[in-house]
Amino acid sequence: MTIRATCLLSSAVIALVAAGPVSAQGVVDVAIIGDPDTFDPMISTKDVVSIVTQHFLETLYTFDASWDVVPLLAADMPQISEDGLTYTIPLREGVSFHDGSTMDSADVLSSLQRWTEVASRGMGIADKIAGIEATGPAEITISLSEPYSPLLSLLAFSNSAAVVYPEEIIADQIETPVGTGPYQLVAHEPDQYVQLTRFDGYTQPPEAAGERRQTLDEIRFVPVPDTNTRVEGLLSGQFAYADSLSTEAYDRISASDVAEPVLLEPFGWPMFAVNHKQGLMTDLNIRRAVQAALPHDDMLFAAFGDEKFFQTDGALYPEGWAWHTEAGTDLYNINDQERAAEYLEQAGYDGQPLRILTSRQYEFHYQMAEVARMALEMAGFTVQMDVVDWATLAQNRDNPDLWDIYITHSPFLPEPSLTSSFFATSREGWNNPEKEAILDRFTAETDPEARREIYAELQTITYEDVGLIKIGNFNALQGKARSLDGVTPSPWPAFWNASIME
């Protein structure tokens, strides 16, 4: 869904949009990698959507600086029954939507029901939800058919997000989002800007979530697909913040009097997402051939250029994380094209093109793909590189007819169950019965140590069945104006506490 330049508040805004974005004191322009293709984060897992929509749409819970789940629209943490099947959630009272209505349990009920029907994460646990009820004007109760330990993490996450809308606008597609956040969406000019302004009716969340001050009058998100253009705009002072910059620009930004680098270390992991629904990659030997052929060191070096920006590491979580394990990583970074050729022979490979879907808006994706292509061709693959813009990639990856591998990345997430690729309901469709059994045990277990042991099994089968292919760890580079204060470094930078220093 592409949202055209639209007045979202009143007829008065239409005239302002026609003349361009509103000028105001305390305005920041933020360069992002592309235009959000939707402002409904329930139906999207894209970071560019999360970065923008978190400012005007909110969830029952959120994460604090330590990645602990804390209340946002909920008034407190839930009461959980002894059997782990019933979550009774108190709701904050007096919370206003941007249309002037007041949030109540009917809004939350309708929103959560829609989440289980249209959101990939919600659909992934829909079969475990026995019911959702409004058990009072300011109370919602979720009943499970079996314990599901990551539930609160799912309710807190900002993509495929369980955001709360007014009951009256709930539909299969929500063209005009109405939320409760500190800023409100007033206009969108495709490929030019997304304009947010302060919501004067905002009420602050509970203390644990942290204050969300509205220091800025306006935030404008500007889609800038080319990484070099984002860098130059940051250095010239055009942008107060720029996301996803090439690591080659680090030294230039460091030396600038106008801007400074923001390095997230470690940020996350690039991966090759595998089409398990149809096509070449449904054959295990083909998947093993790809896994064996890839030269991870070379791919990471091509993508990031300097070892201070990446680590060749097969563990799905790096050292220092509770989920870190080396289980299964003997199958990481094999870099053996002859072994890959043997797998191709076992598969009876006939030269059918292996279609790799990628984009240059995340330049490091493309650079990894180019190195992978050469290694795969050495192993005997015919490789078809489909290089498109990120919006097209996001659309095409939902159609399993169009790709065998697409390249993406993820930050390290606080709960492994937030990684949608593990679930058969994801667009990749990895539906291995042994993996499903492991995943069910993992999500039903509540003891942290037992969960870590089961997670090691999940990582092992990810390698053995080639559920996905992790390339390594990387540190992400963003940049900010030296005059910008109050933005906490994050995979999803938020600007509700931002201010411009004189």
Side-chain angles (χ1 to χ4, degrees):
M1 173 178 64
T2 300
I3 302 175
R4 297 301 170 191
T6 307
C7 167
L8 300 172
L9 293 182
S10 69
S11 58
V13 177
I14 296 176
L16 294 172
V17 173
V22 177
S23 296
Q25 295 297 315
V27 178
V28 297
D29 287 337
V30 179
I32 53 179
I33 65 104
D35 216 22
D37 61 339
T38 180
F39 294 126
D40 178 7
M42 275 198 193
I43 63 171
S44 176
T45 59
K46 292 186 285 297
D47 289 343
V48 70
V49 173
S50 296
I51 289 170
V52 174
T53 60
Q54 66 181 332
H55 293 82
F56 54 87
L57 296 169
E58 295 182 316
T59 47
L60 290 175
Y61 294 96
T62 188
F63 295 102
D64 66 12
S66 301
W67 289 109
D68 292 323
V69 175
V70 295
L72 184 54
L73 290 175
D76 205 341
M77 300 303 290
Q79 276 192 323
I80 304 174
S81 61
E82 289 187 11
D83 60 7
L85 298 179
T86 304
Y87 288 64
T88 303
I89 300 172
L91 306 176
R92 288 168 55 202
E93 300 185 55
V95 174
S96 296
F97 286 108
H98 298 152
D99 63 3
S101 62
T102 301
M103 184 192 77
D104 61 20
S105 59
D107 302 309
V108 178
L109 173 62
S110 297
S111 298
L112 291 181
Q113 287 174 334
R114 180 178 185 265
W115 181 67
T116 65
E117 295 166 358
V118 305
S120 59
R121 301 185 201 284
M123 290 188 291
I125 66 163
D127 62 341
K128 296 176 174 61
I129 296 179
I132 307 173
E133 298 178 85
T135 47
E139 184 180 274
I140 203 84
T141 299
I142 301 175
S143 301
L144 304 178
S145 57
E146 59 187 79
Y148 193 80
S149 54
L151 176 63
L152 293 181
S153 292
L154 290 179
L155 294 178
F157 202 38
S158 63
N159 69 42
S160 190
V163 293
V164 176
Y165 293 115
E167 178 186 17
E168 292 75 17
I169 74 166
I170 296 295
D172 290 343
Q173 290 193 351
I174 295 177
E175 297 288 340
T176 305
V178 177
T180 59
Y183 286 82
Q184 55 195 343
L185 175 64
V186 296
H188 174 216
E189 186 67 41
D191 300 320
Q192 295 186 42
Y193 61 85
V194 178
Q195 180 188 16
L196 312 185
T197 60
R198 180 193 293 118
F199 174 46
D200 291 331
Y202 186 66
T203 54
Q204 292 294 330
E207 183 178 355
E211 187 178 11
R212 300 189 171 199
R213 290 180 285 109
Q214 302 151 285
T215 309
L216 299 171
D217 296 318
E218 182 181 336
I219 306 165
R220 289 189 295 234
F221 292 96
V222 182
V224 184
D226 181 68
T227 183
N228 292 324
T229 306
R230 292 197 295 277
V231 170
E232 297 304 325
L234 177 72
L235 293 174
S236 70
Q238 178 183 1
F239 303 125
Y241 206 94
D243 187 35
S244 190
L245 303 179
S246 169
T247 54
E248 296 173 355
Y250 183 88
D251 290 339
R252 284 188 66 205
I253 299 171
S254 295
S256 169
D257 294 331
V258 174
E260 60 187 68
V262 178
L263 190 65
L264 304 180
E265 182 179 3
F267 172 85
W269 48 299
M271 73 178 212
F272 281 21
V274 170
N275 187 345
H276 292 268
K277 291 182 178 180
Q278 59 192 71
L280 278 176
M281 297 294 279
T282 58
D283 186 313
L284 176 57
N285 279 318
I286 297 289
R287 298 200 299 275
R288 286 174 170 167
V290 173
Q291 183 182 63
L294 295 180
H296 293 243
D297 294 281
D298 294 341
M299 293 166 66
L300 289 164
F301 188 80
F304 302 106
D306 190 313
E307 290 187 355
K308 70 181 177 184
F309 297 119
F310 70 87
Q311 303 86 41
T312 308
D313 178 19
L316 299 185
Y317 280 87
E319 290 187 17
W321 286 73
W323 304 108
H324 175 75
T325 173
E326 296 294 329
T329 57
D330 55 313
L331 295 175
Y332 172 75
N333 198 21
I334 299 170
N335 192 13
D336 186 339
Q337 287 75 46
E338 290 184 3
R339 183 170 168 184
E342 293 172 2
Y343 284 127
L344 286 182
E345 185 176 355
Q346 293 175 38
Y349 177 66
D350 61 2
Q352 179 180 341
L354 178 74
R355 299 162 301 169
I356 299 179
L357 180 62
T358 191
S359 170
R360 299 199 72 157
Q361 279 166 269
Y362 290 110
E363 182 68 16
F364 69 96
H365 289 189
Y366 175 77
Q367 291 164 336
M368 288 188 299
E370 277 293 300
V371 175
R373 177 184 59 80
M374 291 185 284
L376 290 166
E377 288 176 346
M378 287 175 59
F381 278 102
T382 300
V383 179
Q384 175 181 317
M385 291 275 285
D386 294 330
V387 184
V388 298
D389 62 82
W390 186 248
T392 302
L393 183 147
Q395 181 178 5
N396 289 357
R397 67 183 180 176
D398 287 332
N399 184 347
D401 293 333
L402 299 179
W403 58 279
D404 298 302
I405 291 168
Y406 78 84
I407 302 177
T408 187
H409 66 269
S410 172
F412 294 112
L413 302 175
E415 161 59 52
S417 300
L418 295 174
T419 302
S420 59
S421 299
F422 288 141
F423 292 85
T425 53
S426 71
R427 61 177 58 87
E428 297 98 311
W430 183 26
N431 192 12
N432 174 301
E434 183 182 354
K435 182 268 299 182
E436 292 298 300
I438 294 170
L439 194 57
D440 285 343
R441 285 192 290 115
F442 178 69
T443 57
E445 182 59 63
T446 57
D447 178 72
E449 185 56 41
R451 293 193 80 214
R452 283 192 286 270
E453 292 176 2
I454 300 170
Y455 179 72
E457 297 179 46
L458 182 60
Q459 180 170 292
T460 297
I461 198 168
T462 298
Y463 275 101
E464 291 178 348
D465 198 50
V466 198
L468 54 85
I469 301 175
K470 178 187 177 183
I471 307 304
N473 304 338
F474 76 104
N475 307 329
L477 179 63
Q478 301 169 349
K480 63 177 284 292
R482 292 186 180 273
S483 60
L484 183 68
D485 190 30
V487 180
T488 301
S490 166
W492 310 278
F495 298 90
W496 45 70
N497 289 324
S499 61
I500 302 294
M501 297 180 293
E502 297 296 334

